[in-house]
Amino acid sequence: MKHGPKQDSKANRDEGRDPESPSEFRKDRYPGDAPVPKKLMSKYQRGKKLHTKGARTHHGHVKLVQNEKKVTMAVKQAARSERLLQEQSGFMIPEDGESTTNVTQSDIVQAADITTAQKHFNLELTQFGPYKAQYTRNGKHLLIAGSKGHVAALDWLTKRLLCEINVMETVRDIRWLHQETMFAVAQKQWTYIYDNQGIELHCLKQPNEALRLEFLPYHFLLASSNATGYLYWLDVSVGQKVASHNTGLGRLDVMCQNPQNAVICLGHPTGSVSMWSPNVNEPLVKMLCHGAAVRSVAVDPTGNYMATSGVDRKMKIWDIRKFEMVHSYQIGCGAGHMVFSQTGALGLGKGNIVEVYQDPCRQQLTSPYMIHKLKTTVNNLHFCPYEDVLGVGHGDGFTSLIIPGAGEANFDAMESNPYQTKKQRREAEVQMLLDKIPVEMIHLDSKMIGKVDMKSFVERVEENNKIHFKKPMSISYEPKHKMKGKGSGRKKEQRKRGVIEEGRRQTVKELVKDKLQEGAQGRKESSTAVSKSKGVLDRFKKTET
Amino acid sequence: MKIKVLSRNPDEYRRETKRDIHKVQRNYDPKLHPFEAPREYVRALNATKLERVFAKPFIGALDGHRDGVNCLCKHPTSLSFLLSGACDGEVRVWNLAKRNCVATIQAHEGVVQGMCFHPDGRSFLTCGLDKVVKQWGISEECTINEEPINTILGKSVFQYMDHHQSENIFATCGQQVDIWKEDRSEPVRSFTWGVDSTHHVKFNPIETNLLGACASDRSILLYDLRGSTPLRKVILSLKSNAIAWNPMESFVFTAASEDYNLYTFDMRKLSAPIMMHMDHVAAVMDVDYSPTGKELVSAGYDKCLRIFSVDTSRSREIYHTKRMQRVRVVQWSLDNKYIISGSDEMNIRVWKARASEKLGMLSTREKASMNYNEKLKEKFIHHPQIRRIARHRHVPRQIYSLSKEMRIMKESRKRKESNKRRHSKPGAVPYVPERKKAIVKEVE
């Protein structure tokens, strides 16, 4: 690496001023570690600091304190490692009187160097209908598909084609799978999985007439939504269906995933947005977002904010963790497509205009960051990861726009490496499969696995407390070895099970009785406090038995 | 208008030549690493499962003795050699690396009761039921001279012996604890307390003037070489079979007791043990500490070895084989890697101290990966699924049923006590910790 740690210029100057004292007696003028700013530390801090005062024994307290020290050291090291990041993200700083909204792509291409100029291009493909576009997770390859069946996978910078096929059917949606070796195409009736050479690998009959596809990379799940209201999750690594829910909410046209907790957000014509996980049959969350139909939903990469746009020409930003509206913007016409970039910029496609807003979640904006007009309507938007590029699929083909500051400047090669070799790609695939998260862990809170399960802990403690005082009922029952025609093992097992069931029922009855008694006592106390209000229709009310 | 677009120079991200390593940029921003907790959990689960898959602790058996192995002795300076004494008086030197017997000698006419090495490793002493202590010379290649250097005839039977850490002093026990100097034929000093006999004696490796002994009146005695009378005595409920001093903590020793438990005491406060290790289902015959002082291994009459951590009361590991009968002696090798057990069926077995450890040279990547897995397992040990997998051991049927029985007995005793407490005046039945129940008395 050519970059070294930044020199402390002040120390250099001071050393120059002190020529007499020999080097070994020179004191360190800035002893100890360089201080790390608190804001930077809080960026790397996961969760709150532990209260070390709750430990019951001295030994436990010492252990907690030592652990906290280790955690703080790790946070500090991570914060200090920021100094080693090589790249800086792009920006556009307007001079006085100018605004970034008026900057066109040709201006940027002129101002930038030739490699950047290459990133803005147009693919004119008028024959096969409005196009959809998607980039791979590392931003190296692009998949474009026209509605009339043309599908092509290419390396978008060098324009080298990986494959180009025509599936001879309507293409509704496309998705890259975990790497650039496979992609899924939702065709007219069934969903197909193709190799990067265009060879059809699988035909998935189950997500019937899939309208939208989403790939959850850390779970290896391909989620698809149906015209008849079904949501279907398929495990791509094993090839088995994980869950399928009948949402009962009609045509599922609007779908996006929350990258932080892998729940699927659906938008409905009633104006509500629902969130689904494969473990639960009902929506985890149902929010009424707009007064009219929801046209598109997008979740930002930190998983904190959700942008929704409706037919009522409003775009709203919601805080998903608190389920509150943060901002509401009035936009000219409904935004049919929305997508967030890695740095939090929001790309909107309304009609034939593409607008990009910079950081709409945390600040109230008045004007878009950049605008681009196309000849035909926008069909799809996707930001290229780790690049300042926005790919737009529209009626006339594909356009790649340069949006300074949209891409994350420093990638982590362990997560996704745009410069990976074939061997690294293969190793990465193996690692991803080993780290595949089981479906049962998809929740609104992805960190739930690290939290104490208070409910079952309380139950266990209560149970434990009861043991010493109650005579434990012997649940294990050994039935008598009867030979007269009842000696068969099956009958014996049935008898055994019957007795145990009976015993269990007794204990449950007792528990319920205890609880009811407690409840009755509680109610008695509360009822005496509150006075009964007599109404005219009281005599028609059913009395509680 | 200042415009800067993100552009990377691919040369900075790709290696220059084939001989270089690949460049791997890291960015620890939490935004780029979603699902940290579930991914770590999955990795911990995989690590735990793999640990169980690779848990194959048995390395080999040293075959050769013609009678049960009664004592083992580690060579103080070399890791490859081991001395063992059998019940027919035979002493063998083994090369652990090659797993063969280097030398054999018929040392005594009866059982070889105790053996100890001189700290320089050039001679060793053996004592037996024939009331004789013999000193033998041993060469660099560990061949023993035919004739002993020295023979000492004692007045009574010797039960065990141990050598001082650095000086030319050794102690034997039998009727009483005798301190000998190597060139004398009479004991320099004798310690007695009452009319009981002692059957085990051990020198403290750190405070080298201290000695601990197990007596037949169910007590453990502490002696100081500098004083003329014994220091202290603690009487337990049942006889202790062996004691071992912690090589790292100078005042801590563990006693292996007949009541199926091990008691770790702090010498300065003998009123209650610091920890009671319970998991054996029969008497504990021998105990030895790991050179790190953090773990100990115990040999049980129930045909198994158990490895305990010093601060927990339950074992972390159990080693058993169908062919291994009553284990008499156990030693933890001085490089902290192996456990050697000697048992009644004339075999000495060598085990790995950590069952799923990979032996031999590890590359740095392997080491890093193993350290990471260890830390993950430690972090997630309290999660129910992971704990269940990590704790799972296949245990011989007899031990399983006996331990179940003991659990039921213990629970019924607890229930009885809590019932008594419930139906008597508050304070009449005090809460006594389990550890204190084992001690009968402490005597100055």
Side-chain angles (χ1 to χ4, degrees):
Chain A
M1 293 232 298
K2 288 169 192 157
H3 302 259
K6 291 185 189 158
Q7 291 290 317
D8 200 340
S9 53
K10 196 174 178 200
N12 279 341
R13 264 188 281 131
D14 278 354
E15 279 179 302
R17 275 190 221 145
D18 212 13
E20 300 137 20
S21 56
S23 49
E24 53 263 35
F25 296 128
R26 229 174 275 158
K27 271 197 300 184
D28 188 1
R29 282 167 206 275
Y30 306 97
D33 278 341
V36 182
K38 264 192 184 165
K39 204 173 169 193
L40 199 59
M41 294 267 280
S42 69
K43 179 178 168 195
Y44 290 92
Q45 181 92 28
R46 272 93 162 157
K48 295 188 214 145
K49 287 201 173 172
L50 199 63
H51 291 294
T52 51
K53 296 207 174 177
R56 278 194 292 166
T57 57
H58 176 68
H59 180 67
H61 179 257
V62 162
K63 270 196 170 172
L64 282 178
V65 164
Q66 279 177 351
N67 210 22
E68 272 306 299
K69 269 194 193 161
K70 280 190 198 159
V71 169
T72 320
M73 196 205 76
V75 166
K76 193 170 171 196
Q77 288 292 89
R80 285 176 70 208
S81 77
E82 259 207 5
R83 202 169 262 256
L84 299 169
L85 297 175
Q86 285 183 317
E87 303 288 340
Q88 282 176 328
S89 53
F91 53 81
M92 237 184 354
I93 303 177
E95 279 147 29
D96 294 330
E98 287 183 326
S99 99
T100 58
T101 324
N102 300 327
V103 176
T104 60
Q105 289 294 304
S106 39
D107 292 340
I108 297 178
V109 161
Q110 267 183 354
D113 55 325
I114 194 166
T115 43
T116 323
Q118 269 186 339
K119 294 182 183 170
H120 169 61
F121 61 91
N122 248 320
L123 291 175
E124 274 204 25
L125 307 153
T126 47
Q127 241 189 335
F128 290 103
Y131 274 78
K132 282 195 191 268
Q134 212 222 346
Y135 292 95
T136 47
R137 281 185 70 219
N138 60 1
K140 209 75 218 271
H141 300 271
L142 170 67
L143 181 67
I144 50 174
S147 296
K148 298 207 176 88
H150 177 219
V151 177
L154 61 145
D155 176 345
W156 62 272
L157 198 51
T158 61
K159 316 289 185 304
R160 185 179 70 91
L161 257 187
L162 288 177
C163 80
E164 182 174 17
I165 52 174
N166 193 316
V167 300
M168 311 298 267
E169 268 190 328
T170 328
V171 167
R172 297 224 179 86
D173 201 4
I174 45 165
R175 269 293 177 270
W176 281 110
L177 295 188
H178 58 291
Q179 283 181 337
E180 66 265 23
T181 45
M182 292 198 272
F183 56 88
V185 180
Q187 293 177 205
K188 177 169 164 196
Q189 220 177 351
W190 299 315
T191 308
Y192 291 80
I193 296 188
Y194 293 90
D195 191 15
N196 62 356
Q197 291 181 10
I199 305 167
E200 179 191 316
L201 295 176
H202 302 281
C203 169
L204 309 169
K205 300 230 169 103
Q206 257 306 80
N208 216 5
E209 290 182 15
L211 290 178
R212 298 290 289 263
L213 295 173
E214 274 292 336
F215 186 68
L216 309 173
Y218 296 98
H219 304 75
F220 276 81
L221 292 176
L222 185 65
S224 52
S225 68
N226 207 338
T228 51
Y230 273 86
L231 255 185
Y232 189 88
W233 280 268
L234 173 80
D235 188 333
V236 168
S237 60
V238 207
Q240 278 172 7
K241 163 193 146 182
V242 164
S244 113
H245 299 320
N246 184 357
T247 60
L249 296 164
R251 196 180 156 87
L252 302 176
D253 228 349
V254 178
M255 181 162 96
C256 88
Q257 66 162 304
N258 183 336
Q260 280 297 320
N261 57 13
V263 306
I264 300 288
C265 303
L266 299 170
H268 305 288
T270 54
S272 57
V273 165
S274 55
M275 298 194 192
W276 295 81
S277 132
N279 302 317
V280 183
N281 259 328
E282 293 184 341
L284 296 173
V285 177
K286 221 172 168 190
M287 291 166 61
L288 185 64
C289 289
H290 290 273
V294 174
R295 283 205 67 191
S296 75
V297 185
V299 179
D300 90 321
T302 58
N304 295 340
Y305 297 100
M306 180 173 74
T308 61
S309 82
V311 172
D312 54 357
R313 294 180 237 136
K314 284 212 177 86
M315 186 198 40
K316 296 189 183 178
I317 310 280
W318 303 83
D319 183 331
I320 301 187
R321 288 184 304 182
K322 288 192 259 177
F323 303 110
E324 282 176 356
M325 190 179 81
V326 177
H327 301 296
S328 169
Y329 299 104
Q330 190 87 9
I331 46 182
C333 61
H337 305 274
M338 285 201 299
V339 70
F340 272 99
S341 89
Q342 279 177 322
T343 50
L346 177 64
L348 271 170
K350 29 183 223 193
N352 64 336
I353 305 175
V354 175
E355 285 182 357
V356 177
Y357 291 89
Q358 202 172 40
D359 211 7
C361 308
R362 275 170 284 240
Q363 27 175 339
Q364 183 89 16
L365 297 170
T366 49
S367 63
Y369 177 57
M370 283 184 72
I371 300 184
H372 184 84
K373 264 205 186 130
L374 301 161
K375 278 186 242 160
T376 47
T377 44
V378 171
N379 200 18
N380 199 5
L381 290 173
H382 194 219
F383 277 98
C384 182
Y386 309 115
E387 293 282 349
D388 278 347
V389 163
L390 170 62
V392 183
H394 49 85
D396 256 353
F398 173 77
T399 305
S400 165
L401 306 172
I402 302 177
I403 316 283
E408 171 66 51
N410 298 289
F411 58 85
D412 189 322
M414 299 294 211
E415 291 281 329
S416 47
N417 186 354
Y419 298 98
Q420 62 189 3
T421 62
K422 187 170 169 194
K423 251 194 184 172
Q424 283 178 330
R425 193 201 72 211
R426 286 208 216 124
E427 286 294 326
E429 183 172 22
V430 172
Q431 285 296 324
M432 281 171 82
L433 282 168
L434 282 173
D435 287 346
K436 180 181 92 163
I437 304 171
V439 177
E440 292 82 27
M441 292 214 236
I442 298 183
H443 292 288
L444 280 176
D445 182 8
S446 72
K447 295 199 170 71
M448 210 195 276
I449 192 81
K451 299 192 176 159
V452 178
D453 186 4
M454 282 312 289
K455 205 165 111 181
S456 61
F457 176 64
V458 162
E459 271 175 26
R460 249 195 300 138
V461 166
E462 279 178 11
E463 237 184 74
N464 204 22
N465 288 340
K466 284 192 190 147
I467 281 177
H468 297 297
F469 298 97
K470 249 194 189 167
K471 196 164 186 182
M473 209 208 73
S474 59
I475 291 282
S476 64
Y477 162 72
E478 278 305 315
K480 262 201 326 203
H481 184 66
K482 295 188 176 168
M483 279 320 289
K484 255 196 197 167
K486 293 182 187 157
S488 75
R490 186 174 66 92
K491 287 282 182 181
K492 206 171 164 185
E493 279 304 310
Q494 279 183 353
R495 264 188 295 141
K496 191 172 176 177
R497 242 181 284 140
V499 172
I500 294 175
E501 272 305 309
E502 194 51 53
R504 283 214 187 106
R505 249 181 266 141
Q506 286 290 348
T507 40
V508 167
K509 260 191 196 168
E510 277 179 34
L511 281 171
V512 168
K513 209 166 91 179
D514 286 336
K515 274 198 180 148
L516 276 179
Q517 278 181 354
E518 281 175 34
Q521 276 180 6
R523 253 184 284 126
K524 265 191 210 162
E525 291 166 11
S526 62
S527 65
T528 48
V530 174
S531 62
K532 273 192 184 168
S533 59
K534 280 195 178 167
V536 182
L537 299 168
D538 265 23
R539 58 212 191 99
F540 295 108
K541 279 198 193 142
K542 261 190 185 175
T543 47
E544 285 179 5
T545 47
Chain B
M1 177 82 70
K2 263 191 266 177
I3 301 179
K4 182 199 173 277
V5 181
L6 175 64
S7 72
R8 295 192 185 92
N9 181 1
D11 290 337
E12 287 179 17
Y13 293 88
R14 295 208 181 103
R15 61 179 180 177
E16 289 174 5
T17 62
K18 255 207 237 177
R19 288 158 167 234
D20 292 336
I21 55 168
H22 288 284
K23 295 184 181 171
V24 173
Q25 282 74 24
R26 300 305 308 271
N27 184 351
Y28 294 100
D29 194 346
K31 212 171 48 166
L32 292 176
H33 301 268
F35 301 105
E36 283 173 327
R39 283 201 283 175
E40 267 195 1
Y41 176 80
V42 169
R43 287 180 186 171
L45 191 65
N46 287 340
T48 318
K49 288 182 183 172
L50 281 179
E51 189 206 358
R52 291 286 95 223
V53 165
F54 289 115
K56 296 183 178 136
F58 183 61
I59 296 176
L62 304 171
D63 193 24
H65 272 297
R66 278 169 299 213
D67 207 341
V69 179
N70 206 25
C71 48
L72 285 176
C73 191
K74 297 182 276 201
H75 197 290
T77 52
S78 162
L79 290 173
S80 337
F81 293 104
L82 179 78
L83 265 185
S84 65
C87 291
D88 62 353
E90 196 182 46
V91 166
R92 281 178 183 250
V93 183
W94 304 87
N95 184 332
L96 286 175
K98 294 185 192 157
R99 280 192 249 141
N100 61 5
C101 180
V102 176
T104 316
I105 216 143
Q106 185 65 31
H108 291 273
E109 279 163 7
V111 180
V112 178
Q113 285 282 80
M115 283 190 318
C116 57
F117 254 105
H118 194 277
D120 62 12
R122 271 188 251 128
S123 64
F124 66 93
L125 298 132
T126 61
C127 71
L129 276 184
D130 56 355
K131 306 182 196 171
V132 181
V133 173
K134 292 188 185 173
Q135 186 179 13
W136 307 82
I138 189 164
S139 65
E140 285 287 314
E141 308 86 48
C142 283
T143 48
I144 316 175
N145 299 338
E146 282 293 319
E147 287 300 314
I149 300 175
N150 207 0
T151 310
I152 303 171
L153 300 163
K155 293 195 192 85
S156 58
V157 158
F158 295 115
Q159 295 267 27
Y160 200 78
M161 74 190 306
D162 193 29
H163 201 286
H164 192 272
Q165 182 73 5
S166 44
E167 295 175 26
N168 263 347
I169 301 173
F170 64 91
T172 60
C173 65
Q175 285 272 19
Q176 68 275 338
V177 176
D178 292 325
I179 312 289
W180 306 74
K181 269 219 149 107
E182 274 184 15
D183 35 8
R184 306 275 191 85
S185 57
E186 286 290 318
V188 169
R189 199 180 297 151
S190 284
F191 291 109
T192 51
W193 191 334
V195 287
D196 38 31
S197 65
T198 43
H199 53 267
H200 197 99
V201 69
K202 272 272 164 70
F203 269 99
N204 188 330
I206 305 172
E207 294 281 332
T208 47
N209 290 310
L210 298 174
L211 278 169
C214 300
S216 61
D217 67 344
R218 315 165 293 155
S219 64
I220 302 174
L221 298 133
L222 292 169
Y223 299 102
D224 191 327
L225 283 182
R226 297 165 291 195
S228 54
T229 55
L231 280 180
R232 220 173 263 204
K233 173 169 159 173
V234 61
I235 305 179
L236 302 170
S237 54
L238 283 179
K239 167 178 104 143
S240 313
N241 283 320
I243 72 165
W245 291 92
N246 190 328
M248 282 290 152
E249 310 270 337
S250 50
F251 298 118
V252 174
F253 68 89
T254 303
S257 173
E258 280 277 325
D259 69 348
Y260 313 174
N261 298 332
L262 293 122
Y263 299 99
T264 304
F265 286 93
D266 184 333
M267 198 193 87
R268 302 165 286 190
K269 188 176 177 216
L270 288 174
S271 55
I274 19 179
M275 185 58 72
M276 183 167 110
H277 306 279
M278 0 182 235
D279 245 346
H280 276 285
V281 292
V284 192
M285 304 302 292
D286 196 14
V287 65
D288 192 27
Y289 265 93
S290 142
T292 61
K294 293 245 183 257
E295 293 189 318
L296 51 103
V297 63
S298 62
Y301 198 69
D302 56 353
K303 308 176 194 171
C304 71
L305 295 173
R306 284 210 185 245
I307 302 178
F308 294 88
S309 169
V310 151
D311 48 8
T312 54
S313 63
R314 295 279 165 180
S315 61
R316 76 157 172 89
E317 191 73 74
I318 172 173
Y319 291 163
H320 59 90
T321 318
K322 253 196 187 154
R323 294 192 185 168
M324 184 162 75
Q325 302 304 316
R326 317 284 178 190
V327 196
R328 295 275 196 95
V329 271
V330 74
Q331 291 283 304
W332 200 310
S333 78
L334 286 171
D335 58 353
N336 195 23
K337 278 196 180 174
Y338 305 103
I339 289 174
I340 303 135
S341 69
S343 47
D344 256 356
E345 24 60 75
M346 313 174 226
N347 274 331
I348 298 170
R349 285 186 176 79
V350 182
W351 310 79
K352 285 192 229 172
R354 284 162 292 280
S356 46
E357 186 186 25
K358 184 174 174 188
L359 299 174
M361 282 303 296
L362 298 176
S363 66
T364 34
R365 284 196 194 190
E366 274 183 300
K367 270 191 233 161
S369 161
M370 284 181 175
N371 284 337
Y372 180 57
N373 283 344
E374 285 298 318
K375 191 65 197 173
L376 274 177
K377 279 186 273 184
E378 198 189 296
K379 182 173 176 178
F380 283 89
I381 192 65
H382 301 289
H383 282 67
Q385 289 299 320
I386 291 182
R387 195 180 69 219
R388 190 178 70 93
I389 295 171
R391 250 180 11 141
H392 177 260
R393 298 285 183 279
H394 175 253
V395 146
R397 182 195 298 269
Q398 210 190 22
I399 296 181
Y400 181 71
S401 47
L402 276 174
S403 57
K404 217 163 58 164
E405 210 181 284
M406 283 174 61
R407 205 183 320 137
I408 294 172
M409 281 161 53
K410 192 167 133 184
E411 266 178 28
S412 69
R413 257 182 266 139
K414 263 195 178 170
R415 209 184 322 130
K416 190 170 180 178
E417 194 187 321
S418 84
N419 279 337
K420 260 197 205 167
R421 198 172 287 132
R422 253 195 323 148
H423 296 288
S424 48
K425 204 163 75 167
V429 183
Y431 288 98
V432 180
E434 279 291 317
R435 317 177 265 134
K436 286 207 173 169
K437 288 186 186 163
I439 309 254
V440 171
K441 207 161 60 158
E442 185 190 349
V443 181
E444 283 290 318

